[in-house]
Every structure is written in C-alpha cells, then in structure tokens.
Amino acid sequence: MTTLLKADDRMILALDEPDLDRARALVKTLGDSVSFYKIGLTLLAQGGLTLAEELKAEGKKIFQDWKLHDIGAQVEGAAKAACSGACDLLTVHAEPQVMRAAVRGRTNDTTKIIGVTVMTSLTQYDLDEMGYGMELTDLVMRRVDQAVECGLDGIVSSPHEAAMIRARVPADFLIVTPGVRPEGAALDDQQRVATPQEALLHGASHVVVGRPVSRAADPVAAAQGILAALHNV
Ligand code: C5P
C-alpha cells in the first residue's frame, strides 16, 4: 500500500456540494488528505455552520465564505458571531466601510478576515455598467491597499494578480487564490487559471480548489497529486 501524503493547510478544498449529506460524504472520502475546507453560501444556507462545527471538532480548519456586505452594524455583528464559532477564515467585500466594521467585530487572532477585491465574475463592462469609471485592475489594487490600511488579514485574488499584490503588501498578508487547476485538468468555467505551484510561487499563501478534486473519479488521488506538487514549493 502506498503511503499517503499528509494534508497541507495551504490547500483549501471548496466544499461546493449541493447539500450537507453529499458534503459529509466527500469529507469522509478525502479523510486525512484535506485539512482545510471552504464552506460557501449554498451550504451555509442549509445548516453549513453545523457542518463547520463537526469538521472543527475533527481538527479541520474552516473557511466560512460569507462575502459579507451590509451596513456596518450588521457586518460587525456577523464577524463577531463568526469569530465565536468554527471559523479560521472569513470573507467580506473589500469596501472600506465593510472592512472597518469587520475588523471592529473581530474578537480573536485565530479568525483571519480577508477581503474580496473585485469578484472575478465581473468584467470591465460590468464595472462601467455599475458606474465605477475606473480600470478593473486599478480598482483591485486600490482595494488591496485599503484592505491593508483597514487592518484586514488578507485578500482573495486571481493567481494572475498574486505577484503584483505580493509586491505591495506585508509578508504575512494572506493571498488566497481560487482559479487553480493542476496541469491538464479541465478548466470548467474558470478562465484565468494557474497551477497550484504557480499560484504559490507567485506569492499566494493558500490555493482554493474545488472540482479538480471533488469531481475527480478518484478524489483522494487528485488531492494527493496537488499535495505532491505543493511539497516542492
Ligand atoms: O471548482 P473550482 O476549483 O473552480 O472552485 C473554486 C472555488 O473558489 C469555488 O468555491 C468558487 O466559488 C470560488 N471562487 C472562485 N473565484 C473567485 C472567488 C471564489 O472561483 N474569484
């Protein structure tokens, strides 16, 4: 029997299953190959916090991907509540008012709060339509600077922006990159992808990976392939 590589906290598995039963089944299949799970809105809206507590009790780390965006009092309250539960990483939209409120609500050092700068589903056309009147990349970099100023712990970005961001943020600032694909894997609906090793070499602190593992014929083998690649970075 081949020895399995130990999980690596730098690899976050996106638990994008449609319901809790299927999410629990995937976690069971992956066993010790994954130590960090991202739980998004679909599961959070149907008891995902219970799953988060269960996984935390098993020693896993939890990324609660709420992408908070509301008036200050609500964001502050939600961040405070997240900090008292199973939450190692929490997302908010990277607008100064929202980020300042989230930082006010942070009650411990173990919950890291990271900002979504400009969602990768948005194009320049969408920004123009919303009336932003500025280049998309300029808005991303402006929000990165504001995230640092507001005291956030990091941001979410495309691996393609990671190097540019790493060059202007503190060394311990988290850069969490989805949109990673192992060499030869299907792109699905992702456009601007990089391999997990490329993302880390460009300055990412964590990679978020979903379908290349969850939809693989052998999810453990797929996770192990990524772990092997990360070992060399
Ligand atoms: O399956 P895949 O690896 O494409 O999943 C990537 C995960 O990262 C999904 O949970 C997706 O919602 C999330 N994500 C993303 N792009 C962003 C932010 C988050 O793909 N800009």
Side-chain angles (χ1 to χ4, degrees):
M1 199 179 129
T2 48
T3 317
L4 293 178
L5 294 169
K6 253 171 49 99
D8 183 328
D9 283 351
R10 292 176 299 172
M11 178 178 83
I12 302 176
L13 199 286
L15 259 186
D16 290 335
E17 300 303 300
D19 56 58
L20 291 177
D21 286 346
R22 276 181 268 192
R24 286 192 180 100
L26 179 59
V27 170
K28 194 166 173 217
T29 299
L30 290 168
D32 292 336
S33 293
V34 174
S35 56
F36 211 149
Y37 282 101
K38 176 170 97 71
I39 300 181
L41 293 179
T42 302
L43 291 181
L44 289 168
Q46 53 179 314
L49 290 180
T50 307
L51 176 62
E53 297 290 346
E54 287 168 20
L55 295 179
K56 194 75 185 158
E58 288 172 23
K60 307 294 186 192
K61 288 193 164 183
I62 305 295
F63 174 177
Q64 290 188 17
D65 194 10
W66 284 103
K67 296 189 180 73
L68 296 175
H69 192 199
D70 204 333
I71 59 168
Q74 283 299 314
V75 172
E76 183 177 340
K80 196 170 176 185
C83 284
S84 69
C87 185
D88 297 284
L89 262 188
L90 170 69
T91 42
V92 303
H93 279 274
E95 291 179 14
Q97 204 182 78
V98 172
M99 294 191 284
R100 282 194 283 267
V103 169
R104 281 198 301 277
R106 186 171 52 193
T107 54
N108 63 46
D109 283 343
T110 50
T111 302
K112 303 296 181 195
I113 303 180
I114 59 176
V116 178
T117 53
V118 176
M119 302 231 293
T120 46
S121 54
L122 298 177
T123 62
Q124 186 65 51
Y125 175 88
D126 296 307
L127 289 192
D128 294 343
E129 187 180 44
M130 287 189 282
Y132 274 93
M134 72 190 289
E135 291 294 317
L136 195 151
T137 312
D138 292 343
L139 182 57
V140 169
M141 297 320 289
R142 179 183 182 128
R143 288 183 167 171
V144 166
D145 292 342
Q146 289 172 333
V148 174
E149 278 163 31
C150 291
L152 246 63
D153 299 297
I155 50 89
V156 180
S157 91
S158 147
H160 290 255
E161 286 145 12
M164 199 164 48
I165 294 171
R166 181 52 75 203
R168 60 201 280 163
V169 297
D172 61 351
F173 197 74
L174 303 178
I175 299 179
V176 178
T177 64
V180 292
R181 289 290 177 270
E183 207 75 61
L187 296 189
D188 306 303
D189 49 8
Q190 300 283 7
Q191 304 291 337
R192 300 171 61 236
V193 301
T195 65
Q197 339 50 318
E198 282 167 347
L200 293 187
L201 288 170
H202 289 161
S205 55
H206 298 80
V207 294
V208 178
V209 58
R211 289 162 290 184
V213 170
S214 62
R215 301 286 173 266
D218 183 345
V220 173
Q224 286 287 318
I226 297 173
L227 290 175
L230 296 188
H231 257 260
N232 300 321
V233 181

